[in-house]
Amino acid sequence: MEELLQVKELRKTFQLTAKQQKLENTKEKVKVAVDGLSFTAYKGEVFGLLGPNGAGKTTTLRMLATLIKPDSGDAILDGASIVSQPEIVRSKIGFLTSELKLEDFFTPNYQYDFFSGLYGVDPQIAAARKKELFERFGIDKFAEVKYGNLSTGMKQKVSLVVSLVHDPDVVIFDEPTNGLDVLTAKVVTDFLLDLKSRGKSIIVSTHIFSLIEKVCDRVGIVIAGKMVECGTLGEICGEKTLEDRFFEIYEEKVGRIDE
């Protein structure tokens, strides 16, 4: 298999304010969010990052998307370094995150056209792709409704479509179904499978076991900023379910959940 992404010893820390120290019940002034994380993903596969909230998944994906810089380490995505060649990396990827906040005042029509223009997409190609995606996700009925007036599910759909205006070969999804109702979550999951069938390379983070089992070729389990297991579901789980195996690993690394 051809390598798409090689993540090498990524590390990221954040300074904690006094309020944050109190909320996290710690006297430490520095939080280690990602601690020497390494893994490899291959072209044409769906690679999942699985872990609890606070494990470092979102921080990792934000570094891969060049939104924040690592303190140390690097990642090479399709030949480009996230540290020294961020512009090239950005041109190759689509990044969807629940933290993506589109402007409430503008409509889905305007937002799509604006971002396709930023990416330099040919207007005719952009228009045809917008028609296809808007119809698929039911956005066409709300195309002229201000983003701030849309439901949570529809906002997620618009964010997804806007992230893919340039039809990237590499798609990074951070918790793509988090907070969605079951119907919208299914639409997003089905779209992931469609992207996979079209040969797209996908990196997805989630804490939802069923999503990993349904769409991922391989998975990396992240706990406290470290990669503790990585491989196919068969390699990691054997005859056990992913949920059972995850909690076994968690207790091995951290201790009992109820302690």
Side-chain angles (χ1 to χ4, degrees):
M1 297 177 68
E2 186 178 356
E3 285 189 4
L4 167 77
L5 172 68
Q6 187 177 18
V7 178
K8 301 179 286 189
E9 296 290 327
L10 281 184
R11 179 178 173 84
K12 184 66 180 178
T13 60
F14 296 100
Q15 296 288 329
L16 294 178
T17 65
K19 183 178 181 180
Q20 289 170 325
Q21 287 176 289
K22 185 175 182 180
L23 288 172
E24 298 203 13
N25 193 28
T26 180
K27 294 182 180 180
E28 299 293 332
K29 294 183 178 181
V30 176
K31 177 181 177 65
V32 179
V34 178
D35 191 5
L37 196 72
S38 299
F39 66 92
T40 300
Y42 299 96
K43 289 189 175 182
E45 78 169 355
V46 182
F47 182 90
L49 286 177
L50 174 67
N53 291 337
K57 304 187 303 298
T58 292
T59 300
T60 297
L61 294 194
R62 289 176 69 194
M63 286 190 283
L64 296 182
T66 74
L67 297 180
I68 58 175
K69 290 184 177 181
D71 296 346
S72 60
D74 199 354
I76 307 301
L77 190 146
D78 201 18
S81 162
I82 65 169
V83 174
S84 62
Q85 299 169 297
E87 295 86 359
I88 297 176
V89 172
R90 289 176 202 139
S91 71
K92 294 175 178 285
I93 67 170
F95 181 50
L96 174 67
T97 171
S98 58
E99 295 180 353
L100 175 63
K101 305 299 182 186
L102 297 175
E103 175 56 56
D104 283 347
F105 181 78
F106 295 117
T107 66
N109 254 338
Y110 178 87
Q111 311 249 27
Y112 186 96
D113 292 344
F114 175 77
F115 280 98
S116 64
L118 283 182
Y119 277 102
V121 182
D122 179 272
Q124 287 187 323
I125 295 174
R129 184 161 173 75
K130 178 169 71 171
K131 184 176 186 297
E132 173 194 346
L133 291 173
F134 274 34
E135 288 179 356
R136 173 165 189 161
F137 290 101
I139 300 171
D140 50 340
K141 301 173 184 176
F142 303 90
E144 291 300 330
V145 177
K146 291 180 179 179
Y147 183 80
N149 295 330
L150 298 175
S151 67
T152 299
M154 189 55 63
K155 286 180 178 178
Q156 182 80 329
K157 292 177 183 178
V158 173
S159 296
L160 187 154
V161 166
V162 164
S163 300
L164 302 176
V165 292
H166 53 312
D167 194 22
D169 289 328
V170 183
V171 184
I172 300 175
F173 286 152
D174 182 25
E175 300 282 2
T177 60
N178 195 33
L180 299 182
D181 64 83
V182 292
L183 296 178
T184 304
K186 185 180 187 315
V187 170
V188 173
T189 300
D190 288 347
F191 187 62
L192 281 170
L193 291 171
D194 181 56
L195 290 174
K196 177 180 178 179
S197 72
R198 291 195 278 129
K200 302 291 186 181
S201 302
I202 302 169
I203 301 166
V204 58
S205 78
T206 186
H207 60 274
I208 300 173
F209 301 112
S210 60
L211 181 62
I212 293 286
E213 290 171 325
K214 187 169 186 179
V215 306
C216 291
D217 299 294
R218 293 189 307 123
V219 61
I221 295 178
V222 181
I223 296 174
K226 297 178 181 291
M227 181 72 73
V228 297
E229 291 281 347
C230 188
T232 65
L233 289 175
E235 290 169 343
I236 292 175
C237 302
E239 298 299 318
K240 298 178 181 178
T241 66
L242 178 59
E243 181 175 3
D244 287 344
R245 182 62 185 132
F246 173 83
F247 287 118
E248 277 187 357
I249 294 169
Y250 188 90
E251 290 188 4
E252 290 169 5
K253 302 296 181 180
V254 180
R256 289 181 56 84
I257 298 167
D258 56 359
E259 286 181 349

